[in-house]
Amino acid sequence: MLTPLKEFATDIRIQQMEAFKARGFGHMGGSLSITDCLAALYGGILRIDPKNPNWEDRDRLVVSKGHSGPALYATLALKGYFPLEVLKTLNQNGTILPSHCDRNLTPGVDMTTGSLGQGASTACGMALGLKLSGKDARVYLVLGDGECQEGQVWEMALFAAQHKLGNFIVFLDYNKRQLDGYVSDICNLEDPAAKFESFNWYVKRIQGNDPDKIYEVILETQKNQKDHPAMIVLDTIKGSGVKQIEDIVLNHHLNISTELADEIINQLIKQKEG
Amino acid sequence: MFKCIYNGGKEAKAGKTVFGDTIRKLIEEDSQVVYLDADLMNSIGTSGLEKVFPNQVIEVGIQEANMAGLAGGLSAVGKKPFMHTFASFAGRRCFDQVFISIAYAKNNVRIIGSDPGITSAYNGGTHMPFEDICLYRAIPHSTVIEFTDSAMTAALLPVIKDRPGLTYCRLSRKNCVAIYSEDSVFEPGVANLLRDGKDAVIFACGYMVSESLKAAEELEKEGISVAVIDMFTIKPLDSAKVLAYAEKTGAVVTAENGNIVGGLGAAVASCLSETKPTPVIRVGVKDEFGQVGTPEYLASVYGLTPTDVIAAVKKSISLKK
């Protein structure tokens, strides 16, 4: 039997695979690798109201690695922001679900992202603004590991600590791979936990594909970060939860046949049934 | 309504003083206003405000890209951000962040770029923005303004505070030639006819407004009647006035303190070529980089003097059919 959060994560995987299947291609690796984090966030952490996506006092989530939109869209649909059938319009002409997240198109998407590094600053600005207004809402941010090669991320890291953004929790999807190959072969991030610690952040590093563990660590972080921004480094696998995709080294963006998508979806359904 | 008080004299207060005073007033009047700066508060008259208004004034540090993103995020949670840096950095240094995190994301942010064109003087080529108008014009749905003098700065900042989308404003830190009375009122998108004329028209902005008025005075002595229109809103262009004065005079000159590539002259010329083809002579920097020097020296090097405007007017008149 799967735990409720693991079941939710499996449902998110099934629904994003349905979207990829309908279009025949997409950013599968990075979408799958943040799925467990999204399951934890939308499985009880985020203070949100799917019926009122623009609720002023809601928590915000910025997926700075905007190409992971499909995982977020699947999560939002499962939470009732829009019908599940809409997922099949991913990247179709005129869709509300573009390849990269767009806050003006998709109900529940809090920030437009896709030019890497930029979600770091916009999320930080949101956390700053909420703090300046005396609101108790939190801002969550998902960064990619390859994305941390952008200087802007480190500008934000300095700023968030300086301004004591204790309402800001960042996840690093440390799946070790980027479009062209392994992060360590291209421009190594080495030990990101140590780096953010040296920037005066509250830092945790955990196995990143267990939603129950992520959930627990978020609660612990909220309690302990005080006036520090928090970084939770998630050791993940690019493509996690789908062996056929995990095993492809360059799985940033893939084509997928209907047959393979169905095989994967059936295998995920079986996991749920135990 | 505006009143033109031009007599060639400079204004009493420096642009930066008026800017600092006006930003302070806006912060006091509207708790949603947030002012961001990238280590240039001491240069633009806002120094110390971060201590008085810690919840509304943020000294970001030397990180323009992050600042543009912060501004976008602040807007997304309901704030009204103003951000300032030198125009060279506002244009080049954080262009993608302005484009995506502010404009494409439909956030409402006002960006102030100071030291436009040759007014950056001794800061030289690295700091001399000739391209910012072109860059900001190229962002869809943007508003591009150049404050003509301090009276306009004080009057327009409160107006753009609630303007939706991205608004970029060029601002001189120094004492400009006084053009407007302090009680003047301006409307973005509506150009101001400062001087009427029938033989040619000069569409000018910023530093070149006073130089164009000087040129028109000289030309009048020669019996040439020239209209001067202040195009302080470069985008959206007041195309009705452009068309009306092209029609009336049949000879058009544009004058701007920046590269003619993609600037005010390009905007006016495009507008006319698609509606009423008319000779347009562009006064401006002819695709060059900046350098150190006094503004007067730089004006002569780059062809931004009243003499250059006079030559352009005569050329445009000679091209009339």
Side-chain angles (χ1 to χ4, degrees):
Chain A
M1 273 289 285
L2 295 178
T3 64
L5 284 182
K6 288 195 176 76
E7 187 174 334
F8 184 29
T10 308
D11 281 334
I12 298 171
R13 288 196 166 87
I14 291 169
Q15 292 304 327
Q16 63 185 290
M17 290 315 301
E18 289 284 2
F20 291 132
K21 174 181 140 186
R23 194 69 190 94
F25 57 79
H27 289 103
M28 291 172 216
S31 290
L32 287 163
S33 68
I34 67 160
T35 294
D36 301 290
C37 178
L38 293 174
L41 285 170
Y42 285 87
I45 296 288
L46 289 176
R47 186 171 75 185
I48 47 170
D49 177 4
K51 287 191 191 63
N52 184 9
N54 298 320
W55 176 36
E56 213 175 280
D57 292 325
R58 72 191 186 280
D59 290 338
R60 269 77 167 177
L61 168 67
V62 177
V63 178
S64 188
K65 39 177 303 203
H67 53 275
S68 298
L72 178 59
Y73 306 153
T75 312
L76 292 171
L78 286 163
K79 291 300 285 185
Y81 282 85
F82 47 84
L84 284 172
E85 298 78 69
V86 175
L87 292 172
K88 294 182 180 158
T89 69
L90 175 72
N91 278 328
Q92 307 282 358
N93 295 338
T95 186
I96 64 161
L97 305 178
S99 195
H100 299 84
C101 299
D102 188 324
R103 78 184 191 108
N104 295 300
L105 286 181
T106 315
V109 168
D110 288 319
M111 186 47 75
T112 300
T113 53
S115 181
L116 292 175
Q118 294 200 27
S121 299
T122 48
C124 184
M126 292 162 107
L128 174 70
L130 291 167
K131 186 186 171 194
L132 295 178
S133 295
K135 297 203 180 273
D136 63 354
R138 288 190 167 87
V139 177
Y140 297 86
L141 161 69
V142 178
L143 282 177
D145 47 9
E147 180 174 21
C148 289
Q149 291 160 356
E150 292 279 5
Q152 183 172 0
V153 169
W154 304 99
E155 294 184 5
M156 178 282 286
L158 286 171
F159 182 94
Q162 174 75 25
H163 290 268
K164 304 187 188 313
L165 298 182
N167 59 348
F168 192 30
I169 297 182
V170 183
F171 303 92
L172 176 66
D173 177 19
Y174 201 9
N175 62 33
K176 327 288 185 301
R177 291 187 239 172
Q178 57 191 105
L179 194 149
D180 272 347
Y182 288 97
V183 173
S184 57
D185 290 337
I186 291 170
C187 191
N188 200 347
L189 201 50
E190 304 281 356
D191 181 355
K195 286 186 167 66
F196 277 89
E197 242 157 31
S198 81
F199 277 66
N200 202 18
W201 284 51
Y202 177 87
V203 180
K204 288 274 165 193
R205 182 168 180 168
I206 58 171
Q207 200 279 95
N209 288 125
D210 177 351
D212 294 293
K213 179 69 186 166
I214 298 170
Y215 191 96
E216 181 191 311
V217 169
I218 296 171
L219 290 182
E220 186 190 318
T221 299
Q222 289 175 349
K223 212 163 67 191
N224 297 330
Q225 72 182 111
K226 304 218 161 52
D227 61 0
H228 295 271
M231 163 56 72
I232 302 176
V233 177
L234 301 171
D235 274 306
T236 56
I237 299 164
K238 195 159 182 171
S240 81
V242 178
K243 185 83 172 51
Q244 296 92 323
I245 295 176
E246 286 179 15
D247 288 348
I248 301 169
V249 173
L250 296 180
N251 67 9
H252 183 80
H253 187 276
L254 297 173
N255 293 327
I256 191 158
S257 65
T258 306
E259 294 71 32
L260 179 57
D262 280 334
E263 178 190 315
I264 291 168
I265 290 164
N266 288 331
Q267 151 191 326
L268 289 163
I269 291 170
K270 273 196 199 120
Q271 277 174 25
K272 266 180 68 182
E273 289 165 349
Chain B
M1 279 300 290
F2 66 89
K3 189 177 159 209
C4 181
I5 58 164
Y6 170 79
N7 64 9
K10 292 212 167 177
E11 51 193 5
K13 282 189 196 160
K16 65 176 182 179
T17 309
V18 172
F19 179 76
D21 292 348
T22 311
I23 287 291
R24 185 186 178 114
K25 205 169 101 223
L26 294 179
I27 289 166
E28 284 169 342
E29 284 169 5
D30 187 340
S31 63
Q32 294 304 95
V33 168
V34 177
Y35 174 79
L36 304 164
D37 205 309
D39 199 34
L40 288 171
M41 293 175 70
N42 209 20
S43 306
I44 197 67
T46 53
S47 191
L49 288 182
E50 76 284 4
K51 295 196 175 63
V52 190
F53 306 102
N55 287 331
Q56 288 177 268
V57 177
I58 307 293
E59 167 68 273
V60 175
I62 309 167
Q63 33 178 247
E64 295 78 11
N66 188 38
M67 177 166 69
L70 292 171
L74 285 162
S75 166
V77 295
K79 298 291 185 187
K80 299 175 185 174
F82 282 80
M83 65 172 248
H84 163 258
T85 181
F86 284 152
S88 44
F89 310 140
R92 305 192 298 260
R93 188 84 194 208
C94 50
F95 188 69
D96 190 42
Q97 285 76 11
V98 169
F99 195 102
I100 298 294
S101 294
I102 296 175
Y104 177 64
K106 290 197 170 74
N107 284 309
N108 310 314
V109 175
R110 302 97 207 137
I111 299 179
I112 312 300
S114 61
D115 278 9
I118 58 169
T119 67
S120 71
Y122 303 109
N123 272 330
T126 54
H127 287 55
M128 197 158 286
F130 291 154
E131 67 294 324
D132 53 323
I133 293 177
C134 173
L135 288 168
Y136 274 94
R137 273 187 70 218
I139 301 175
H141 313 308
S142 64
T143 298
V144 182
I145 287 174
E146 178 156 17
F147 297 138
T148 311
D149 67 1
S150 292
M152 183 185 282
T153 301
L156 268 182
L157 284 171
V159 174
I160 63 166
K161 170 174 77 78
D162 295 300
R163 190 173 175 85
L166 166 69
T167 305
Y168 175 67
C169 305
R170 289 183 124 199
L171 165 76
S172 169
R173 290 192 286 153
K174 319 219 165 86
N175 299 64
C176 298
V177 173
I179 304 290
Y180 294 105
S181 67
E182 281 189 12
D183 57 356
S184 291
V185 175
F186 307 92
E187 194 183 327
V190 180
N192 292 340
L193 176 68
L194 298 180
R195 178 191 173 103
D196 213 342
K198 61 179 175 45
D199 297 326
V201 57
I202 306 168
F203 295 106
C205 62
Y207 174 87
M208 292 309 292
V209 171
S210 58
E211 307 313 280
S212 299
L213 287 166
K214 271 181 220 164
E217 281 179 353
E218 290 302 316
L219 285 161
E220 189 179 29
K221 290 177 196 160
E222 298 181 34
I224 301 171
S225 162
V226 181
V228 176
I229 297 180
D230 181 1
M231 302 295 290
F232 66 91
T233 314
I234 297 151
K235 186 184 169 194
L237 192 73
D238 187 347
S239 49
K241 252 187 211 92
V242 169
L243 273 173
Y245 270 80
E247 188 107 21
K248 178 174 175 176
T249 63
V252 173
V253 166
T254 62
E256 61 198 303
N257 174 18
N259 197 338
I260 57 169
V261 176
L264 170 67
V268 169
S270 315
C271 169
L272 289 174
S273 69
E274 290 178 344
T275 49
K276 184 185 167 35
T278 309
V280 178
I281 306 299
R282 294 168 298 163
V283 175
V285 178
K286 307 290 191 297
D287 209 21
E288 294 293 343
F289 293 108
Q291 60 184 298
V292 294
T294 61
E296 294 73 26
Y297 169 77
L298 296 169
S300 70
V301 169
Y302 293 112
L304 305 178
T305 66
T307 311
D308 296 299
V309 177
I310 289 168
V313 168
K314 289 181 175 168
K315 188 172 174 191
S316 75
I317 291 173
S318 76
L319 290 172
K320 272 201 226 186
K321 279 187 187 142

